[in-house]
Each structure stands twice: as C-alpha cells, then as structure tokens.
Amino acid sequence: MEEQELIIALQSRQETAYVLLVNQLGGKVYHTCLGLLQNEEDAEDITQEVFVSVYQSIKQFKADSKLSTWIYRIAVTKSLEYLRSKNRKKRFAFVQSLFSTDNELKTDVGHFHHPGVQLENKERAAILFSAIDKLSENQKTAFVLHKLEHLSYIEIAEVMNSSVSSVESLLFRAKQNLQSLLGDYYEKNEK
Amino acid sequence: MNKKEAWIQETMESLEGLKIPQVSSSLDEKILKHLFQDEIKVIAIRPQLTWSIAASLLLLIGLNCISLIQYNKNQVNEKQSDAYTLYNNYFLYTEQL
C-alpha cells in the first residue's frame, strides 16, 4: 500500500490500515519514546497515546511531510510533555520532602538499561543514558533521533520543525556537553 | 589520548550496534484494542445544538416555576373557599335551629 493510499485508509478509519501502521511504525515510535523517557513502561504508555492521537487527528494531516515524520513529531512532543509533567511532580515531591518528617527524597533516580544494547556495553551505555538525560530537551531529542533512530539531519530538522544547520549545531553541543558530563563522571567514579 | 579521553570515547561509542528492541505483540494488540474495541469517539457538538439544549432547559424550568406559582395560588383559593363554605353552613344550621 502506498503512503497516499494508507493515509486515505487511515482517514476513513479502516482497521486494516491501522494494523499496518502499528506494524510498520509501532516499533520505531516505541524506540523513540524509550530513548527519550528511559523507562519501558512509560514508553509503552506514550506509544499508545501517540497512536490514539494519530487516530483522532489524522483528518487534519495535510501530507506536507511524510507520515512517519508527522508521527515521530507526535511521539517527541508527547514524550517531552510527559517528561515535563514528571519533572514537575519530582519538584513537588522535593518541596513536600522539605516539610515532611522523614527527610528521605522519593525520586526514581537510577541507571536505565536499554534492552537493545550489547551485553559488553551495558554498563557504559547506562552511564551514557544518564548523561543524555541531563541534556536540554532539544539537544536530547536531536541526539536520540540521530544516534538511536539513525535519522538523517534533514529528517531530524523536519521532526523538530527547525533547519538543518540548527540540528547540526544542536548535535555538536550535545556531544560537547556529553563529553563534559562523562568527564566529570570519570573524575568522581572511575579514577 | 590519555586514559580519561579513551574512557569517554568508548562510553560515547557504547550505543554502536544498538538493536531496536522488538515491540511485544501485546503492545500492538493493546494499541489496536484501544483504538477499535474501546471505541474512541470524537463527538463534535454544533453550537446550534448547544443553544437549543440550553433554550429547552430554560423553557422547562420556566414552565415548572409557572405551574408551581399557579399551584400555590390554587391552594390559597381552595383554603379560602373551604372556610367560606364552613361559615355558610354554620349560619344555615343556626337559622334552622
């Protein structure tokens, strides 16, 4: 089925078209969400939300970009929104912990083990993911789409609604920041 | 390249050969079930319909108020006519005596 036919079938709410779409892009959407959220359960929930969002707003899709690019954009937006709300909750929990009697801060800080990483790289990849988590939203998105999804600079620019040069600059700064964060980690733990 | 730089370089390259994890079939099923069996329906209500519902409710409330006022008035009139009948009957009875 060609993309245009698929879009028409999706717009007319044909179940077979959605089965095809989920089979084609479900894994990629899940993988993008997993890279940004660094939590398998959250990534599954957001993947579901992405497809619900596609179902609800496919009629507004004007085909001015590829369907996959549009869906990646939804996945990135939903993941970042989720992260923002999670961070708000963390801040609230921190404020609450200041007033509570037990001075234990309950946040889920921990290393993320990506299920696709090779066994020998598992430990280092977890450290790298921890550093990725400290990047700004844009740097993190660009890095995840480039390194994990292997999208080209042009595709990343389309997903992020920006220019190729700004994607290049984001990736350059992301790498610099990651090297600096890893350097700090090395000084504290590996030396 | 010193030890630290080598470690950073190796860590930066730890995502090389990353495999895209297979999505469990249960996730696919969950998504499709959510889309088609849980029936997500986007209900668009036209403004005319909203206004006609509001007008109908207003009319219903108005009719209820009018009938309540009318009922109260009738109650008062009934009470007055009962007293009048009692009064008449009493004097008729005394006249007969």
Side-chain angles (χ1 to χ4, degrees):
Chain A
M1 197 185 275
E2 279 196 15
E3 186 161 299
Q4 197 54 40
E5 287 175 62
L6 179 65
I7 293 166
I8 293 165
L10 292 170
Q11 286 173 335
S12 54
R13 306 241 193 274
Q14 285 178 25
E15 194 170 342
T16 48
Y18 281 91
V19 172
L20 192 68
L21 184 77
V22 172
N23 284 337
Q24 275 182 3
L25 291 175
K28 288 178 179 174
V29 169
Y30 172 72
H31 196 223
T32 307
C33 296
L34 187 64
L36 289 168
L37 301 169
Q38 302 189 5
N39 180 301
E40 288 177 54
E41 282 173 21
D42 292 346
E44 283 201 8
D45 289 346
I46 299 301
T47 304
Q48 277 196 57
E49 275 189 34
V50 170
F51 283 99
V52 169
S53 192
V54 169
Y55 184 88
Q56 286 174 336
S57 52
I58 189 72
K59 285 188 179 168
Q60 280 98 55
F61 178 59
K62 301 273 182 267
D64 47 5
S65 64
K66 275 168 71 183
L67 182 66
S68 58
T69 306
W70 183 64
I71 295 175
Y72 267 124
R73 205 178 294 155
I74 297 173
V76 168
T77 310
K78 291 253 173 213
S79 300
L80 293 179
E81 273 173 11
Y82 182 80
L83 278 179
R84 274 179 227 136
S85 79
K86 206 172 177 180
N87 286 338
R88 271 198 298 274
K89 278 179 197 163
K90 270 186 195 172
R91 278 200 292 273
F92 182 67
F94 173 73
V95 173
Q96 263 193 329
S97 73
L98 293 176
F99 295 102
S100 67
T101 46
D102 56 334
N103 291 322
E104 195 185 333
L105 177 59
K106 293 178 183 74
T107 50
D108 50 346
V109 180
H111 285 317
F112 163 63
H113 292 282
H114 192 288
V117 171
Q118 289 172 348
L119 199 64
E120 64 268 25
N121 290 334
K122 233 171 175 75
E123 206 173 313
R124 287 202 175 175
I127 297 165
L128 181 59
F129 270 112
S130 174
I132 292 170
D133 203 34
K134 291 186 178 75
L135 294 176
S136 71
E137 276 186 2
N138 282 341
Q139 288 177 18
K140 187 177 178 180
T141 307
F143 191 84
V144 165
L145 291 176
H146 185 59
K147 281 281 172 190
L148 270 66
E149 291 305 307
H150 306 294
L151 294 191
S152 68
Y153 285 9
I154 300 169
E155 285 171 314
I156 299 171
E158 280 179 8
V159 172
M160 295 181 75
N161 272 330
S162 61
S163 64
V164 174
S165 58
S166 67
V167 170
E168 281 172 347
S169 139
L170 276 173
L171 282 169
F172 179 73
R173 276 183 281 141
K175 276 174 198 164
Q176 274 191 327
N177 287 336
L178 285 175
Q179 281 170 344
S180 157
L181 286 163
L182 291 174
D184 292 345
Y185 181 90
Y186 182 86
E187 294 292 329
K188 282 178 195 162
N189 302 285
E190 301 285 323
K191 221 172 179 179
Chain B
M1 196 186 280
N2 64 27
K3 209 176 163 191
K4 181 183 166 184
E5 283 171 352
W7 183 87
I8 291 171
Q9 189 64 30
E10 279 173 28
T11 309
M12 288 291 282
E13 285 165 5
S14 62
L15 297 182
E16 299 292 325
L18 180 93
K19 285 179 193 151
I20 293 181
Q22 286 290 313
V23 182
S24 62
S25 58
S26 64
L27 177 62
D28 283 12
E29 282 165 19
K30 252 193 261 177
I31 294 167
L32 293 165
K33 184 182 172 285
H34 194 54
L35 292 180
F36 292 98
Q37 286 172 25
D38 299 346
E39 291 273 326
I40 299 164
K41 280 185 181 166
V42 183
I43 303 166
I45 301 173
R46 284 175 294 142
Q48 293 103 313
L49 185 68
T50 318
W51 282 112
S52 53
I53 291 169
S56 310
L57 280 173
L58 211 66
L59 187 72
L60 203 67
I61 293 165
L63 283 172
N64 272 297
C65 288
I66 291 166
S67 60
L68 203 68
I69 293 164
Q70 209 63 40
Y71 175 77
N72 279 343
K73 268 186 190 172
N74 287 345
Q75 284 288 91
V76 173
N77 286 343
E78 264 177 37
K79 272 181 193 166
Q80 280 175 349
S81 59
D82 283 350
Y84 184 72
T85 317
L86 188 72
Y87 171 81
N88 273 346
N89 287 348
Y90 176 73
F91 281 103
L92 274 171
Y93 175 70
T94 48
E95 271 172 24
Q96 277 172 7
L97 284 177

